[in-house]
Amino acid sequence: MSPNIKGALLALIAFGIFSTHDVFIKTLGATYSPIQIVFFSVLLSFPLATIMIMRDSKPGTLLPVRPWWMAVRTVGAVITGVSAFYAFSNLPLTQTYAILFATPLLITVLSIPILGEKVRLPRWMAVLVGLAGVMVVLRPGTTDLTLGHGAAILAALSGAFASIVVRKIGSDERTAVLLLYPMVANFVVMGAALAFVYKPMPIEHLGMLAVISTMAWIAARFIIAAYQTGEAAIVAPMQYSQILWATGYGLIFFDETPDIYTAVGAGIIIASGLFIVFRESRGGSINTPVLRTRSRVGTPGLVRLSGMMTSGRYRDKPDKLPE
């Protein structure tokens, strides 16, 4: 099996696990506030985070090298987590994924002010086409837009922002720092708000939260292995396989059938995202912000995957260089 095929298979497994993880979120979201779900999923992630911190051999303290960027990245991560969990709880899975698939488009735009990236006309056209696809999914003026739609858009925007910031500071900060600050912030902020929304949870629901935390970490390890095995241009598009999982899971567990507008809009967004990925892989960009931003939007307690991949274990390829 070639490295690229192996990398693609590892990524498909990872995103399949993430999609299953989102089913648990949606199931719990029918009963509990996303604040409560985020709080307990982060709380149950601390043992796994502790193990990762113990294995981080990079010298230094837990004080960030670039505190202001770390602060804004932490705020973005907190907003992303709660808004994505709210979207998964209140929207059909296919709609949520379709909107979150706009994240690479937003990364392309945000790379201009934050990374100094120069975006040429073809990629601008891809961004505009992709955003038009979002409008097809939302259909403003002809359908009722809910807080769930707003939360999904906010998650895509804040997730892109957090990913770009890690892309900027990832080579300066320890993985432990990138991991710990957003987790602690989620724990404190969601814990403070928990008093207003808390509902007692039976042991089986706490078990589901433990499954959510465990799945997120297992999937992250698969994605890391995928990027360390295959080329980023092959691995990155595998995230779009989640729309297939969402369609199946939505039909089986939630009696959701995607409408034609969601299907068409998702297709447009995916096509524009693929165009950006393949253009970057062919040297259409100096910084390749999308290819080098390995992220999973909306998983609190999980560091941006880019931060977990700065250890130098890369094959000698341009898209494998540490950030």
Side-chain angles (χ1 to χ4, degrees):
M1 184 181 298
S2 72
N4 281 340
I5 293 177
K6 185 177 179 181
L9 289 176
L10 289 169
L12 287 173
I13 293 172
F15 288 113
I17 295 172
F18 269 131
S19 298
T20 309
H21 157 287
D22 296 334
V23 171
F24 283 92
I25 293 173
K26 187 172 181 64
T27 300
L28 290 173
T31 305
Y32 305 102
S33 165
I35 292 172
Q36 185 167 342
I37 301 174
V38 169
F39 175 81
F40 281 103
S41 65
V42 169
L43 176 64
L44 295 171
S45 294
F46 272 113
L48 294 168
T50 301
I51 295 172
M52 173 165 286
I53 291 172
M54 291 171 62
R55 295 180 62 187
D56 183 9
S57 60
K58 188 174 181 179
T61 69
L62 292 179
L63 294 176
V65 176
R66 307 176 75 171
W68 289 110
W69 278 115
M70 180 59 66
V72 296
R73 174 268 192 280
T74 298
V75 171
V78 171
I79 294 173
T80 302
V82 71
S83 57
F85 274 35
Y86 185 89
F88 278 119
S89 300
N90 291 274
L91 291 180
L93 286 172
T94 50
Q95 279 195 20
T96 305
Y97 280 126
I99 296 171
L100 293 181
F101 284 163
T103 301
L105 310 177
L106 298 172
I107 287 175
T108 299
V109 175
L110 291 174
S111 69
I112 300 172
I114 297 177
L115 299 180
E117 172 82 347
K118 295 184 183 300
V119 177
R120 298 184 177 88
L121 182 61
R123 281 203 294 157
W124 270 120
M125 295 300 296
V127 169
L128 293 176
V129 169
L131 295 179
V134 175
M135 292 296 103
V136 173
V137 174
L138 297 178
R139 285 172 289 152
T142 62
T143 187
D144 293 330
L145 298 182
T146 66
L147 287 176
H149 294 98
I153 294 171
L154 181 60
L157 181 59
S158 56
F161 178 74
S163 295
I164 278 288
V165 171
V166 172
R167 170 76 179 87
K168 183 176 182 68
I169 68 176
S171 60
D172 299 327
E173 303 288 357
R174 296 178 63 193
T175 299
V177 173
L178 292 169
L179 170 67
L180 195 59
Y181 277 76
M183 286 190 69
V184 171
N186 265 306
F187 181 79
V188 172
V189 173
M190 301 304 154
L194 189 61
F196 301 99
V197 299
Y198 178 76
K199 291 182 180 180
M201 304 185 79
I203 188 65
E204 59 267 25
H205 286 177
L206 287 172
M208 290 174 69
L209 286 166
V211 169
I212 288 172
S213 299
T214 304
M215 280 187 168
W217 283 81
I218 292 174
R221 300 310 303 180
F222 270 102
I223 292 181
I224 291 171
Y227 275 105
Q228 290 173 341
T229 302
E231 297 177 31
I234 301 299
V235 173
M238 296 303 108
Q239 66 176 306
Y240 298 121
S241 66
Q242 290 179 110
I243 200 71
L244 301 177
W245 288 101
T247 301
Y249 280 147
L251 183 62
I252 295 170
F253 296 113
F254 306 109
D255 196 26
E256 298 172 352
T257 303
D259 58 36
I260 186 62
Y261 295 99
T262 300
V264 171
I268 294 172
I269 297 166
I270 290 171
S272 59
L274 289 174
F275 176 85
I276 290 174
V277 165
F278 289 125
R279 181 169 175 80
E280 288 186 359
S281 70
R282 293 182 178 183
S285 165
I286 298 174
N287 293 329
T288 58
V290 173
L291 284 178
R292 293 196 185 178
T293 307
R294 293 95 176 186
S295 61
R296 153 68 188 192
V297 172
T299 306
L302 184 66
V303 70
R304 297 289 96 179
L305 299 176
S306 302
M308 300 167 70
M309 298 180 65
T310 56
S311 59
R313 297 192 302 271
Y314 298 88
R315 293 161 61 203
D316 187 20
K317 295 180 182 180
D319 62 7
K320 299 283 185 169
L321 295 175
E323 301 185 12

